[in-house]
Amino acid sequence: MKPSSKQIRDLQKRIFLARTKRNLSYADLAKMARVHASQVSRICAGDFKTLSNNVVQICKMLRVKVPRLEEEDDMDAEWAKAHASLRRIWDETPEGAATIRRVLDAIADLRASASSNDAGPLPNDCP
């Protein structure tokens, strides 16, 4: 989901304050956050539309809280519950997201395997 322009401005301001408080150049921050310097410059200027991995990495390095985005009004109730569960288990790192993705892919593979073996679909309440 995309942050609002106000959320982007607020985040840009907090990133700026945290970076200047620590007296970090864009190059310093890039090395520390493992983000390309041109991306750091762009993000610090508020030139981003989504809370990408690079934005999150910079915020984590500066200990700036990443804003939570409001859920879409028309989101299915069950998807909203699944989304909330994912948020509870995600540690907000790229590695954590990759682990969750691998687990979900494994579940999808099991479902596909079960249906191709004519064993029938897995029960809906299967974790």
Side-chain angles (χ1 to χ4, degrees):
M1 292 178 56
K2 294 182 179 182
S4 68
S5 57
K6 181 186 182 316
Q7 287 172 315
I8 290 172
R9 284 191 310 272
D10 290 346
L11 185 56
Q12 175 195 9
K13 181 178 178 180
R14 287 185 285 137
I15 289 170
F16 173 80
L17 291 173
R19 185 181 66 81
T20 55
K21 179 180 178 183
R22 290 171 178 80
N23 199 27
L24 294 172
S25 68
Y26 292 153
D28 294 335
L29 182 55
K31 287 177 190 172
M32 294 169 65
R34 296 183 180 148
V35 174
H36 193 275
S38 66
Q39 292 295 310
V40 171
S41 173
R42 184 182 60 76
I43 290 165
C44 288
D47 185 16
F48 58 93
K49 292 184 175 33
T50 63
L51 298 179
S52 68
N53 195 24
N54 289 341
V55 173
V56 172
Q57 284 299 108
I58 289 168
C59 289
K60 283 185 148 298
M61 185 54 55
L62 295 172
R63 296 187 178 163
V64 170
K65 186 176 179 185
V66 178
R68 296 272 186 209
L69 302 178
E70 296 297 319
E71 301 298 327
E72 292 180 19
D73 291 339
D74 60 347
M75 184 182 283
D76 178 75
E78 287 304 313
W79 175 249
K81 290 176 188 175
H83 188 261
S85 294
L86 285 170
R87 283 285 190 187
R88 279 196 309 275
I89 62 173
W90 183 39
D91 62 2
E92 297 188 14
T93 65
E95 296 81 14
T99 300
I100 293 169
R101 181 189 46 79
R102 285 192 302 272
V103 169
L104 293 174
D105 287 345
I107 293 169
D109 292 345
L110 285 171
R111 286 185 177 265
S113 175
S115 65
S116 68
N117 290 332
D118 291 327
L122 293 174
N124 284 338
D125 60 349
C126 182

